[in-house]
Amino acid sequence: MKRILIPAAVVAVAAAFVLVNFSTPMAAGDAKVGSAAPDFTLTDTNGNSVTLSDYSGKYVVLEWINYDCPFVAKHYDAKNMQGLQDKYREQGVVWLAVNSSAEGKQGQFSNEEIHSRLKKHASTVDAYLLDGNGDVGRAYGATHTPHMYIINPEGTLIYMGAIDSINSANIADIPKADNYVVMALDAAFAGNEVPVEMTRAYGCTVKY
């Protein structure tokens, strides 16, 4: 039987402008582990339409993002997220960042600002997708940033939840944590069952 892990620790972030909710239930939407990932078409920051099903036959990682969230900043400032992007894109994985922040809310930026931040962080995502109306985020039950999803070449969702096992904004916790994205992809590449299929996401709430 697969394990579902829920990190226990709760860390308060001393930033008044950030709303963080650790009591949000596990994601509830059309997305279910073991079922077909909901298809979608979104526009990227270059004005291109990106459709999930176009990547049939490849592993796809969906990363819900908000650059102003300290939990996202933790992984980017430490170059942890970029390291994962580089490692798995070299193995043929498609990596898509999805921003579901509504207009006027935290994390919603102009395309120029997004490109500036992508360059600053040396991010290597295949595309940064704009979901301002939140339809895709709600379909996937995305609740926090970062919220991670992994889809296999058959289009089946094989992991959804937190990036790792320690719900803090402290960079020092990264090497101490179990990285669920690494665990899932490495197991899948080896032809093994994903050891942990679903966890409770942590971070800043998605600003729908």
Side-chain angles (χ1 to χ4, degrees), residues 17 22 35 43 53 66 84 93-94 98 166 170 175 185 188 195:
F17 67 90
F22 292 98
S35 298
T43 301
S53 56
N66 168 1
L84 296 176
V93 174
V94 175
V98 184
I166 300 180
N170 187 348
L185 285 172

Side-chain angles (χ1 to χ4, degrees), residues 45 67 109-118 128 130:
T45 53
Y67 278 132
F109 306 108
S110 67
N111 288 350
E112 291 75 16
E113 176 65 16
I114 293 168
H115 290 158
S116 174
R117 297 203 183 200
L118 287 169
Y128 186 113
L130 305 174

Side-chain angles (χ1 to χ4, degrees), residues 19-41:
L19 297 179
V20 180
N21 182 355
F22 292 98
S23 62
T24 302
M26 280 194 175
D30 297 331
K32 300 288 187 297
V33 171
S35 298
D39 199 14
F40 61 80
T41 299

